[in-house]
Amino acid sequence: MPNMQKEKHPMPTRSPEERRSTFGEVALGYDEETAVSEAERCLNCRNPLCVKGCPVMIRIPDFIRKVSLRDFEGAYAIIHESSSLPAVCGRVCPQESQCEKTCVRGLKGESVAIGRLERFVADRHNAASSGQIEERTRISNGHKVAVVGSGPSGLTCAGDLNRLGYDVTIFEALHVAGGVLVYGIPEFRLPKEIVRKETDELIRNGVEIKTNTVIGKTMTVDELMEDGYEAVFIGSGAGLPRFMSIPGENLKGVYSANEYLTRVNLMKAYLPESDTPIRRAKRVAVVGGGNVAMDAARSALRMGAEEVSIVYRRGEAELPARKEEVEHAREEGIVFRLLTNPKEILGDEHGEVRAISCVEMELGEPDASGRRRPVEKKDSLFTLDVDTVIMAIGTSPNPLIKSTTEGLVTEKWGGIVADEDGRTSRPGVFAGGDAVTGAATVILAMGAGKKAAAAIDAYIKEKNAK
Amino acid sequence: MAYKILKREELNSQVIRMDIESPPVARKAQAGQFIILRVDEFGERIPLTVADTDPERGSVTIIFQTVGKTTMKLAGKREGETIEDFVGPLGRPTETEGLKKVAVVGGGVGCAIAYPVAKKLSSLGCTVHSIVGFRSRDLVILEKEFRAVSDRFVLTSDDGTAGEKGLVTDALKRLIEAGEAYDEVIAIGPLIMMKFVARLTKEYGIKTVVSMNPIMIDGTGMCGGCRLSVGGETKFACVDGPDFDGHLVDFDEAMARNAAYKETEAREREEYCRLLGK
């Protein structure tokens, strides 16, 4: 008999008071009994809509059934068929707009907590095996593929190709693998140890990861192909920060969210032993309303800020961040200054930020994106005293590869042009993730990496059949 | 990853030259480009301009002054030891095409970056006048190397203990006034020196390129920490530079931004010195 409880089992979390001063993970995860009881809420639909909502098509009811039978390794094996990063996705996927959105249990109550169960299964596996997975006997097919970037799309593409027998090398510009999972998403949402376990597992399975290698600089895509890589997958992300082009943006104390988060996450500026400096901000304004803005605001709080505000030009309903992230931010005491748009950042005589001047906005007619367009309220200019401003208004694809790869067609805004399966204008060159779509989610990037892996396999097979 | 220090040499009491083993960077790097390194696991990422390369040996030469904790840690490494990370070459190479006569102006440790540019220009058959300035005799570096690639060489020092007493701008002005017609002036050194070189050459309408060295983390365009105002536009030194038109750079803003972590840096340096018992 299924468990007909209407609500999901709540996720145990650290108290907001405790959270304010620690980078320790906020969500603590289900225990075994809660997971099994939650799994029993799944009706095991014959035509499971949840699977269609998953960009990598995990066999969701099948793994949940294994959980209800307490066969946790069996559940892990099912997830792992489709996803190389279960512990990551269980944490950062927007399940509410994907698998859980279409769950039939959501019609009368709440959907099954698919994401929380995925996380439980992955964490349980990682703890039980202490990262050791049984050795797969992989037989190399002798074909080499290069993957540029070790973020979600690159790791997924590499994992799938490795399973198909390809010799895969990932080239990463930074000194650790993981891309946005290590430089962008904070420790309190995604512990870096988890990312490391996932990348270690790829390495153990035969994927080579070359850090400190910037494709477009250290080597070009063409040089990779001359080196015998039969196909190249570009998953270089959307790492170029945007600014607003308002006066005062180059004052000391104005960060891009990328810079702030990189200092905290990648460079570990929150640890005393780290040599990387960061401002000890007291009053912070974070401009933007997406997940990155929430991450930056909540990081600033944990770095000791007394007041952190989100400054966003639209309203509550338009906040692009996940609801859960907004809730967590509110609980921790982040101030939401909605319908507010910055006009200028003001500095003192030393060139340090002292305030941000803003106008109030109201919502007008819907724009091209379907969201109501914010318009300025007359005579509403006011200043907010802050010592630090973090710009979290989006990122664009990095131009390093575009500018060094002849014949690679890109969009005006910088995205690489690729079809559904990741094929670009250059034969043998595939692309996916944020480098193609612009900033999006981890799971969409993984979906793109997966499709590209299948297309690369088909491409190399066809090429060699001739 | 670990990168071996193949050679370590003290050029003066504050400036050290190291050859680091990195065949891919050695193969690719050109004058004007930089690398980013990290000394150890908790080290910060710092950019340093490539001073020379030996593609056959697979080595890249860096020259740095010990100014903060990271450069002190680096200076403490011996030959045969390794550093944690080394990535490059980053940024755009200095443009040298079509230049017939150039004044290369270097200041202090900036000469380490000016030298490969002078060397490259000389190898392309360009007439090179090098004007290099230091505070005093004991800080002079690369004099012999500069002489070897320069058609004219002027050494200046603030206190007159080496070469002529005065600033590089005095010497440059004298040469221009004497009728030397330069296609371009390339100035590399402290921001304040580059600012005044650019101010001088603007009067004479001589194109001037400066090499900027702002605070950076990734060096690939990701953090935006290295942004500068150039001709009213925001540019990223790591991907758009590090070379820029000296007449368009907002030096005052760049100087303010470079001092962003001055207090933290001073404190860390002091703590580190105490740790070493210095």
Side-chain angles (χ1 to χ4, degrees), chain A residues 259-398:
Chain A
E259 179 180 357
Y260 192 78
L261 290 170
T262 299
R263 284 182 186 274
V264 176
N265 299 328
L266 177 73
M267 306 310 297
K268 310 239 173 291
Y270 65 92
L271 298 176
E273 55 267 46
S274 169
D275 288 343
T276 299
I278 192 158
R279 274 174 92 83
R280 297 292 159 166
K282 291 274 169 265
R283 294 173 58 87
V284 182
V286 178
V287 181
N291 288 324
V292 174
M294 300 305 137
D295 286 346
R298 297 170 70 196
S299 296
L301 197 74
R302 285 161 172 77
M303 293 301 296
E306 285 154 16
E307 185 179 289
V308 182
S309 309
I310 290 279
V311 174
Y312 179 56
R313 65 199 181 114
R314 301 182 200 244
E316 174 90 33
E318 288 78 20
L319 281 169
R322 289 184 68 192
K323 216 173 124 223
E324 184 185 301
E325 303 307 326
V326 175
E327 273 166 22
H328 280 157
R330 272 223 170 85
E331 286 167 10
E332 288 164 17
I334 304 288
V335 181
F336 281 75
R337 296 178 196 272
L338 304 174
L339 292 165
T340 303
N341 201 30
K343 297 296 271 188
E344 183 178 359
I345 302 163
L346 308 167
D348 65 12
E349 67 274 23
H350 307 295
E352 304 268 353
V353 171
R354 67 174 175 82
I356 182 166
S357 75
C358 305
V359 284
E360 290 175 29
M361 309 292 279
E362 51 198 357
L363 293 178
E365 295 299 308
D367 64 10
S369 72
R371 295 181 299 180
R372 292 175 66 194
R373 204 166 68 91
V375 283
E376 260 178 43
K377 263 195 212 167
K378 256 196 182 154
D379 303 323
S380 63
L381 196 72
F382 69 100
T383 60
L384 185 64
D385 287 343
V386 292
D387 55 42
T388 300
V389 175
I390 302 173
M391 288 292 173
I393 54 166
T395 51
S396 314
N398 197 306

Side-chain angles (χ1 to χ4, degrees), chain B residues 148-161:
Chain B
V149 297
S150 307
D151 299 278
R152 221 176 147 154
F153 177 79
V154 183
L155 175 66
T156 72
S157 58
D158 296 0
D159 62 0
T161 50

Side-chain angles (χ1 to χ4, degrees), chain B residues 3-16:
Chain B
Y3 300 80
K4 201 169 173 186
I5 299 163
L6 298 175
K7 199 175 159 204
R8 180 190 184 282
E9 185 187 351
E10 289 179 14
L11 298 184
N12 65 38
S13 59
Q14 299 167 12
V15 178
I16 292 173

Side-chain angles (χ1 to χ4, degrees), chain A residues 218 223 249 255-256 258 275, chain B residues 28 69 73 88 223 227 261:
Chain A
T218 315
E223 284 166 335
E249 265 184 324
Y255 287 108
S256 70
N258 259 5
D275 288 343
Chain B
K28 268 294 172 69
K69 185 176 173 187
K73 269 188 179 177
C223 75
R227 63 195 186 276
Y261 299 103

Side-chain angles (χ1 to χ4, degrees), chain B residues 132 137 140 143 147 154-157 159-166:
Chain B
V132 297
R137 171 89 258 167
V140 174
E143 180 177 350
R147 282 186 190 280
V154 183
L155 175 66
T156 72
S157 58
D159 62 0
T161 50
E164 49 189 77
K165 184 176 158 81

